[in-house]
Amino acid sequence: MERAHYHLTERSKRILQLAAKYNQDVIEPHHLFIAACREAAGVCGELHLYLHKQLGNQFLNFMKEQDEKDMGRASQSNLSLVLEKADEKRQYYRQTLINEGHIIQSILETDSSLNDWLTEEMKEAIIDIACVPRDMVVHLGKYQSKSHIGYKNSIRRAVHADLPELKQFIKSEFGDRWIKRINHLPASGQLSVFLAEYNGEIIGFACFDVEKKGMFGPMGTSSRFRLHSVGKELLHRSLMDMADRGYAYAVIEQAGPIEFYEKACGAKLIPWF
C-alpha cells in the first residue's frame, strides 16, 4: 500500500520526512528509527536521551554502517511492511491515526539488524518509553478563567440515568476495558463525567476523579465522529471543571494518543527515567 493511503499523526509524518533525508531512494526501517530519535519531541525525545545514555553516539553512527549495506537496493518492501504492521496496531487499539509508538514497535518487530546493537532489555525499555500509554500532566491555570467556550458539539454533564446507555456505548466502541472504571462512579451526587451527543445519542464521554483524585480519564469518542473536535471539547470541559474544583494540575492517566494531548491542552509527559 502507498504511504499516501495511511493516516498519520503530524509527528509520524515528520519522522517519515526526516527518514527520507537519509536516503531518498530507499527508506529502510533503521532510517525511520534514527529519524524517530532525531525528531526529539515527546516520547521521541525521551527515546533519544535513553539511547544516548546507553550507547552514546554509537546509535547514530549505526545508520551510516547500515546505509553502506543497503547500497544498490531498489525496494521499499521493508518500509511497506513497517507501515502495514503499524496500521494493524492502530486498528487493534481502535485509534484513528498511526502514531510514533505504532511505527517504532513495528520497526523493532521487522528490522533484524537492530539485534546487532539493541539488547532485549533495551528493546523492552524502548517499548515502555515510546509504544505504550503514558501518564501526562497538564497545568490548569489557563482553564480557571474560561467560563464560556463555544463548542461545535453538544457537551453536557452526565446524570445517573445516563449510565446504562454510557456503558452500552463503551462496550460497543471499546469493549469491556473501561466498564469497571464506570462502576466506580458514586451512586449519588454530581458525576465527574461529561457526554457528547448527536441527535440525542452518546458519541463520546470523558471522566475524571473516577478512582483517584486529580486523575483525568478514561475518555473515548465514537469512531464515526473522530476528527470532529469531540474529544478536544470533552477534554476542555472536563479540565475546566477540575480547575473550578481547585485543582492546580491534572494527571492524564494512560494517555494513548500522546500527541493529541500535547496539542489539545499542552500536556507534558511524566518522565520515564
Side-chain angles (χ1 to χ4, degrees):
M1 189 180 294
E2 296 295 328
R3 272 178 276 166
H5 293 168
Y6 293 105
H7 300 289
L8 307 168
T9 65
E10 291 302 315
R11 181 168 295 144
S12 295
K13 291 177 183 177
R14 290 197 300 270
I15 290 171
L16 280 171
Q17 291 167 356
L18 283 170
K21 291 181 179 180
Y22 300 131
N23 192 330
Q24 294 183 354
D25 296 325
V26 180
I27 301 177
E28 291 293 336
H30 66 270
H31 293 134
L32 288 175
F33 191 80
I34 299 299
C37 294
R38 286 188 165 167
E39 211 283 321
V43 296
C44 294
E46 284 198 1
L47 176 61
H48 182 107
L49 290 173
Y50 172 76
L51 289 175
H52 192 274
K53 180 179 179 181
Q54 297 295 317
L55 300 168
N57 290 327
Q58 177 184 345
F59 81 97
L60 294 175
N61 294 333
F62 168 79
M63 183 195 67
K64 297 179 181 178
E65 299 175 4
Q66 288 302 118
D67 282 343
E68 293 177 359
K69 298 178 183 179
D70 294 336
M71 289 181 63
R73 296 177 61 176
S75 170
Q76 286 193 322
S77 60
N78 288 338
L79 173 61
S80 297
L81 181 58
V82 168
L83 292 178
E84 286 173 10
K85 282 182 171 289
D87 199 50
E88 289 172 1
K89 297 181 189 306
R90 175 195 67 79
Q91 295 178 55
Y92 176 80
Y93 292 109
R94 303 187 184 189
Q95 295 175 327
T96 306
L97 304 174
I98 294 175
N99 62 42
E100 66 274 30
H102 301 142
I103 291 175
I104 291 169
Q105 188 168 5
S106 298
I107 294 169
L108 293 176
E109 295 172 358
T110 303
D111 193 343
S112 60
S113 65
L114 297 178
N115 294 328
D116 295 338
W117 61 293
L118 290 179
T119 66
E120 289 303 315
E121 181 180 357
M122 292 169 65
K123 288 181 182 179
E124 290 177 5
I126 291 169
I127 295 294
D128 288 341
I129 291 171
C131 308
V132 299
R134 295 279 304 275
D135 289 349
M136 306 181 76
V137 64
V138 56
H139 184 252
L140 298 179
K142 65 180 180 180
Y143 288 96
Q144 294 173 350
S145 60
K146 292 186 177 181
S147 57
H148 299 286
I149 293 181
Y151 294 118
K152 298 179 182 178
N153 301 281
S154 174
I155 308 292
R156 68 172 177 86
R157 187 185 300 277
V159 297
H160 286 85
D162 295 313
L163 295 183
E165 183 184 353
L166 175 58
K167 290 179 183 179
Q168 184 58 45
F169 169 77
I170 291 173
K171 282 186 177 181
S172 63
E173 290 284 344
F174 310 103
D176 293 331
R177 57 179 170 152
W178 288 332
I179 297 300
K180 289 183 179 180
R181 305 288 298 279
I182 300 302
N183 288 337
H184 274 86
L185 292 171
S188 61
Q190 189 180 72
L191 294 175
S192 301
V193 182
F194 288 94
L195 303 177
E197 294 180 312
Y198 180 77
N199 289 338
E201 175 188 354
I202 295 176
I203 62 171
F205 78 102
C207 309
F208 66 91
D209 284 1
V210 175
E211 294 179 295
K212 298 178 183 178
K213 295 292 185 181
M215 305 291 283
F216 172 84
M219 179 176 77
T221 302
S222 168
S223 58
R224 296 181 293 123
F225 290 89
R226 290 175 189 169
L227 303 180
H228 289 80
S229 299
V230 175
K232 182 178 180 180
E233 292 178 0
L234 284 166
L235 171 67
H236 284 179
R237 184 65 186 86
S238 300
L239 296 183
M240 285 173 54
D241 206 55
M242 295 182 77
D244 289 344
R245 296 184 185 206
Y247 290 114
Y249 293 87
V251 173
I252 301 172
E253 189 175 20
Q254 295 292 287
I258 289 171
E259 191 173 350
F260 163 79
Y261 288 106
E262 290 173 336
K263 292 180 177 180
C265 63
K268 305 295 183 184
L269 284 169
I270 295 177
W272 184 80
F273 65 94

